[in-house]
Amino acid sequence: MEKNEVMKTKSSESQVMDGSDIMKLVGNEAVFSNFVDHKFQELDIDKDGKLSVKELQPAVADIGVALGLPPQGSSPESDHIYSEVLQEFTHGKQEKVSKTEFKEVLSDILLGMAAGLKRDPIVLLRMDGEDLLEFVKSPAFEPEMLSLYSELELPDGSLKDYIIKAFEKLTVDQGMPPASDSWVMSNVVEPVVESCIGVSNEQPVTQETFLAEFKKVAESAAQRLKEQPVIVAHSENTFDGSGIKRLLSNKFELDKTLDSALKTIPRDRHGKMSKEYLRVALDVLAPSAGLPPIGAVDQMDKVIQEVCKMLDADDGKMVKEEEFKKLLTEILGSMMLQLEGNPVSVSTNSVVHEPLASSSTLLQPPSISEM
């Protein structure tokens, strides 16, 4: 099976989103029915008994917030989930949604998300500087930072440039939230560098100077994180082809998945389909094969590109449905072999700009007085 690991934290508080709370909510029919009634009334602004696409938008956003997903626009993986949620509600059309449809779809979505979180848990880490301080004081600090210094290619860089670049290379394992996040850079990294380094223009920057100054700045960053903790959504996955193997070994499930994927593919008047839509179909069946959405993981996109090139899948020719299915199956089989030989491991860290105790109300059951 696709492997995932819950990150081992030292001092940071963490909360694992594994879908168990959602299963409890949907599994209780009486509570879930009352929950749906309550939420439908909240969303039905014009009180016409149906929900428009516009009225559904807060529900879609709130589902993500309540599940601890990064806000829309933060990552391709979470954006794909948000998009799928809206598509499920509207069936890909702009029609309004009744309460019965809302309940059915919401149940399916929540159970699907719960299953996804069970398979690939998201760990919410509260980074408060303790792990960073522990790293700075550990025996590993000096050799790891000297190794990092040797990787920095800044021939005309100032000390400040070196320090900022080093922060960008630190990881969650070392107690640092991703400095690639603009909030972390402008509220944590830049202020402490400015206060500790000032206008130093020393060149060249020796490793001794770098080590001593970085230690000072990192200690200051740890103090700043203590005052302003940062929430990071962390997940680790290894795509080793086992999800594809599982799908290919079950003919009934494979046929059903292929039929479902082909529903979205346009056909010409002879019922033929263009091979240029193979990637679209592959993206639709990706969850069933334990694969990420196309565009979400660069290494996986390269695997797909290599396989498609090998099988002449990008020549744009028109083929019959059976040939299209055969090609899809061959692509999956080739991907499985490549991933078995060279698994792709991915670690993602996204800063969550919502507090752990979310202000979202969508997944909070109504109070007892409303039951």
Side-chain angles (χ1 to χ4, degrees), residues 271-290:
K272 289 186 175 182
M273 291 168 275
S274 171
K275 285 160 78 172
E276 68 185 31
Y277 285 100
L278 280 165
R279 290 171 195 256
V280 176
L282 188 62
D283 202 31
V284 174
L285 62 77
S288 301

Side-chain angles (χ1 to χ4, degrees), residues 155-215:
D156 300 316
S158 65
L159 178 59
K160 191 182 292 187
D161 295 331
Y162 270 83
I163 300 290
I164 288 176
K165 201 72 178 172
F167 268 113
E168 289 175 355
K169 288 183 174 288
L170 282 191
T171 67
V172 170
D173 283 323
Q174 293 157 324
M176 185 66 199
S180 55
D181 182 87
S182 59
W183 190 94
V184 174
M185 179 57 73
S186 59
N187 288 275
V188 179
V189 177
E190 288 175 349
V192 296
V193 170
E194 201 63 45
S195 66
C196 294
I197 303 299
V199 290
S200 170
N201 291 313
E202 179 187 336
Q203 283 184 329
V205 178
T206 65
Q207 65 178 25
E208 289 79 12
T209 301
F210 168 77
L211 199 60
E213 294 299 321
F214 186 84
K215 185 171 187 177

Side-chain angles (χ1 to χ4, degrees), residues 113-318:
M113 285 187 159
L117 286 168
K118 184 178 181 181
R119 184 181 64 248
D120 299 323
I122 294 174
V123 183
L124 296 183
L125 303 170
R126 184 176 184 272
M127 309 203 72
D128 57 8
E130 286 190 39
D131 287 350
L132 179 58
L133 200 56
E134 190 174 318
F135 169 62
V136 170
K137 293 178 178 178
S138 73
F141 176 75
E142 187 168 324
E144 286 188 29
M145 293 313 299
L146 288 177
S147 173
L148 192 151
Y149 169 84
S150 68
E151 295 171 12
L152 300 177
E153 295 179 2
L154 299 167
D156 300 316
S158 65
L159 178 59
K160 191 182 292 187
D161 295 331
Y162 270 83
I163 300 290
I164 288 176
K165 201 72 178 172
F167 268 113
E168 289 175 355
K169 288 183 174 288
L170 282 191
T171 67
V172 170
D173 283 323
Q174 293 157 324
M176 185 66 199
S180 55
D181 182 87
S182 59
W183 190 94
V184 174
M185 179 57 73
S186 59
N187 288 275
V188 179
V189 177
E190 288 175 349
V192 296
V193 170
E194 201 63 45
S195 66
C196 294
I197 303 299
V199 290
S200 170
N201 291 313
E202 179 187 336
Q203 283 184 329
V205 178
T206 65
Q207 65 178 25
E208 289 79 12
T209 301
F210 168 77
L211 199 60
E213 294 299 321
F214 186 84
K215 185 171 187 177
K216 188 166 64 174
V217 177
E219 287 171 345
S220 183
Q223 179 59 36
R224 198 167 185 90
L225 285 170
K226 185 178 180 181
E227 296 162 6
Q228 286 185 298
V230 174
I231 308 297
V232 175
H234 173 88
S235 64
E236 294 182 17
N237 301 288
T238 298
F239 302 101
D240 58 7
S242 56
I244 304 175
K245 191 171 189 175
R246 216 167 27 244
L247 179 63
L248 294 180
S249 64
N250 186 332
K251 189 175 186 306
F252 174 77
E253 191 63 32
L254 176 62
D255 289 343
K256 192 172 76 168
T257 303
L258 290 173
D259 287 340
S260 177
L262 264 60
K263 282 179 185 174
T264 59
I265 307 301
R267 293 165 167 78
D268 67 8
R269 58 194 179 90
H270 301 295
K272 289 186 175 182
M273 291 168 275
S274 171
K275 285 160 78 172
E276 68 185 31
Y277 285 100
L278 280 165
R279 290 171 195 256
V280 176
L282 188 62
D283 202 31
V284 174
L285 62 77
S288 301
L291 298 172
I294 289 177
V297 179
D298 287 344
Q299 301 100 303
M300 291 298 293
D301 288 346
K302 286 175 184 171
V303 172
I304 293 170
Q305 191 173 348
E306 288 171 16
V307 168
C308 286
K309 186 177 179 182
M310 185 174 67
L311 296 173
D312 292 325
D314 290 328
D315 60 17
K317 289 182 180 176
M318 303 297 291

Side-chain angles (χ1 to χ4, degrees), residues 322-366:
E322 285 310 308
E323 176 66 16
F324 195 92
K325 285 183 179 178
K326 185 181 172 217
L327 269 168
L328 258 182
T329 306
E330 286 176 358
I331 289 171
L332 287 171
S334 295
M335 287 181 66
M336 179 187 76
L337 292 174
Q338 282 214 28
L339 292 170
E340 283 180 342
N342 297 290
V344 171
S345 296
V346 184
S347 173
T348 58
N349 296 293
S350 305
V351 175
V352 179
H353 298 282
E354 295 281 347
L356 274 174
S358 168
S359 58
S360 163
T361 60
L362 184 77
L363 293 182
Q364 293 173 5

